[in-house]
Amino acid sequence: MRNITAILLAAGRGVRMGARGRMTPKGLLSLGDRSFVEESLDTLRAHDIGAIRIVTGHLEEQYREMAGKGQPGVTLAHNPDYAVKGSLHSLLVGLDGHTGPCLVLETDLIYEPRAISAAIGTADRSALLVSGPTEAGDEVYVWADERTGTLCLRDMSKTAGQWPDPHHGELVGITHLTGEAVEALKAIGAGMVAETPMADYESGLVALAREHPVTCPKIDDLAWAEVDDETMLARAAERVYPRIVAARQAATNQSAAGTPVPA
């Protein structure tokens, strides 16, 4: 197994999902026969990541039920302040007591398995995965500058014109942090949450990147989607999930044929 712990952020209330979000955490929605989180767990294990910590909040009992049904290596870390503090605090809850590298994932995601390979491809560097244009309607744009011989995170914003130069790509919601970056983020994040309790984890990563290079690997044609509301769920079902299923099947066929699967 890789020496990486996956931290899954699952504390959010899913307000934009309306009635569906009040009944089910977004990570436990499904488009196939398994929920978004269960598909992530399968993908992580396929990449030899067996230590997985899920940060719960809203409807945390549903995650307890899921974790109790044959999910080895999964632990839960509850954020009791999920309604009054933002995702940066949830990430700090997930990192409490943890040392060493980690892979941070949002849980309202569906994505191709190669996204994980790209994020953890360079073990000694932190990496925030970006994609090409999605036209999803709620994009978070990422700007990057060349540092240490590669493109590294400068800023993120939902405003495409935040900077005069073109953005590098779109935030996917999968980020690898080295052990050094984890320790730096704990200190930076604690100060940010004390000042702004509802700070999101993305702002914490931008602050971290000012002190610690965070590379920005990009997959232009990655099939992935974030699900924040019913419109995004419908788009994911109709336009994205079929591509992900096809990509998984192609990878399975290549593996069965003994052909190396591209990262």
Side-chain angles (χ1 to χ4, degrees):
M1 288 291 178
R2 295 178 186 267
N3 181 32
I4 299 175
T5 295
I7 308 290
L8 277 61
L9 303 179
R13 291 180 292 168
V15 173
R16 291 167 60 186
M17 288 301 301
R20 194 193 301 267
R22 289 191 292 273
M23 295 184 295
T24 307
K26 289 189 295 180
L28 294 182
L29 299 176
S30 63
L31 295 174
D33 58 0
R34 295 170 71 74
S35 67
F36 299 165
V37 164
E38 289 171 309
E39 291 195 359
S40 267
L41 297 181
D42 290 344
T43 300
L44 291 166
R45 291 173 182 134
H47 286 79
D48 291 327
I49 299 173
I52 300 162
R53 183 178 294 183
I54 303 176
V55 184
T56 65
H58 175 60
L59 299 173
E60 58 97 14
E61 67 278 1
Q62 295 188 28
Y63 280 105
R64 284 204 312 267
E65 182 180 356
M66 182 214 70
K69 295 180 178 178
Q71 294 293 350
V74 172
T75 59
L76 305 181
H78 182 58
N79 171 16
D81 299 319
Y82 67 90
V84 294
K85 293 185 178 180
S87 58
L88 179 55
H89 178 67
S90 289
L91 178 52
L92 294 178
V93 170
L95 294 176
D96 186 36
H98 171 74
T99 58
C102 74
L103 185 67
V104 181
L105 297 94
E106 299 178 22
T107 50
D108 54 355
L109 289 179
I110 57 171
Y111 56 90
E112 287 182 73
R114 60 180 173 149
I116 302 298
S117 303
I120 63 176
T122 307
D124 62 347
R125 290 188 176 186
S126 296
L128 179 141
L129 181 64
V130 302
S131 75
T134 62
E135 300 181 355
D138 194 34
E139 300 90 337
V140 175
Y141 302 103
V142 176
W143 284 264
D145 299 315
E146 186 168 343
R147 293 171 61 189
T148 64
T150 189
L151 288 175
C152 293
L153 175 64
R154 179 207 309 165
D155 198 7
M156 288 188 269
S157 175
K158 289 189 176 183
T159 302
Q162 178 78 6
W163 290 85
D165 56 319
H167 58 79
H168 174 50
E170 296 180 14
L171 173 72
V172 175
I174 301 174
T175 306
H176 171 246
L177 298 175
T178 64
E180 179 184 356
V182 164
E183 296 308 311
L185 182 58
K186 287 179 183 178
I188 292 169
M192 292 178 66
V193 171
E195 183 174 335
T196 308
M198 291 302 294
D200 55 53
Y201 89 98
E202 294 94 337
S203 64
L205 294 177
V206 170
L208 170 70
R210 298 188 188 111
E211 302 179 8
H212 177 95
V214 177
T215 64
C216 295
K218 182 177 182 180
I219 304 178
D220 281 300
D221 61 346
L222 182 70
W224 73 279
E226 179 184 20
V227 175
D228 277 334
D229 57 32
E230 292 289 349
T231 299
M232 297 171 80
L233 180 61
R235 173 186 174 273
E238 296 166 9
R239 297 177 52 188
V240 181
Y241 195 66
R243 292 175 56 200
I244 292 173
V245 171
R248 287 177 182 155
Q249 187 59 54
T252 299
N253 293 343
Q254 286 181 326
S255 179
T259 306
V261 179

